[in-house]
Amino acid sequence: MHIHDRKTRVGFLKKLINIIHVEILTQENVSCLNTTIILLMFAQRSGELSVYLKLLREEEQNNCRPGFILHNFRQLLFFWQDHYLHKDKDCTALEKSSNISFSVWKEMVSGLTSNDTTSPNTLAYYLKQDNLLDDDVAME
């Protein structure tokens, strides 16, 4: 298997998302979250973001655990917003280490966490299908 294979990338995304939770997120493991966001930036750039999100949801369905990936990821992204949008020093470090403008990071995270349930490029679109959005939105 190679990282250029979509199935491999989705498996990698699943692992990255599931090894962290908001309760255990630290400076040491936030890089897993940032790596996940970067991989989804690449998917978005190639017009495949909705395909990746759909495949992650299918993984949840196959394991009879709706939301265990996407709901966790959305909560992590809310934490990301809370953390990075209030700390200029961390934003600058993220920009420098990734060579990606912070505005691109913000746009990506904002799009993923949007409450737009009509766009397959948002997590809300998939969470609503499993009736998991109401609890999630209340935490914003």
Side-chain angles (χ1 to χ4, degrees):
M1 287 200 251
H2 197 269
I3 195 68
H4 291 290
D5 175 60
R6 183 185 301 142
K7 186 176 178 180
T8 301
R9 286 191 302 257
V10 170
F12 189 57
L13 284 170
K14 179 185 120 181
K15 288 177 183 176
L16 283 170
I17 294 168
N18 282 333
I19 60 172
I20 51 176
H21 301 274
V22 171
E23 299 82 19
I24 61 168
L25 199 58
T26 65
Q27 285 295 109
E28 288 76 31
N29 63 20
V30 75
S31 60
C32 294
L33 179 55
N34 290 334
T35 301
T36 301
I37 296 168
I38 288 172
L39 288 172
L40 291 175
M41 284 179 188
F42 292 144
Q44 183 180 43
R45 186 175 291 163
S46 66
E48 294 188 318
L49 179 59
S50 63
V51 173
Y52 280 74
L53 296 177
K54 180 181 178 202
L55 290 170
L56 288 169
R57 180 175 184 268
E58 286 175 6
E59 182 69 28
E60 293 175 336
Q61 300 299 311
N62 292 341
N63 287 292
C64 300
R65 295 181 63 200
F68 86 98
I69 299 170
L70 298 179
H71 185 270
N72 180 48
F73 185 41
R74 195 162 196 248
Q75 294 306 308
L76 289 165
L77 292 174
F78 288 145
F79 179 90
W80 187 97
Q81 287 176 319
D82 193 48
H83 176 79
Y84 281 104
L85 297 180
H86 304 292
K87 297 188 178 176
D88 289 337
K89 183 179 172 185
D90 289 347
C91 297
T92 301
L94 184 61
E95 256 185 334
K96 286 183 180 180
S97 66
S98 67
N99 203 26
I100 298 171
S101 166
F102 190 70
S103 63
V104 174
W105 284 94
K106 282 193 320 188
E107 183 180 319
M108 184 70 196
V109 172
S110 179
L112 287 167
T113 58
S114 167
N115 288 329
D116 182 356
T117 58
T118 63
S119 171
N121 288 329
T122 69
L123 295 168
Y125 176 86
Y126 302 94
L127 292 170
K128 182 164 176 73
Q129 293 176 27
D130 295 316
N131 295 318
L132 294 170
L133 186 58
D134 292 337
D135 293 338
D136 199 45
V137 171
M139 298 189 81
E140 281 188 85

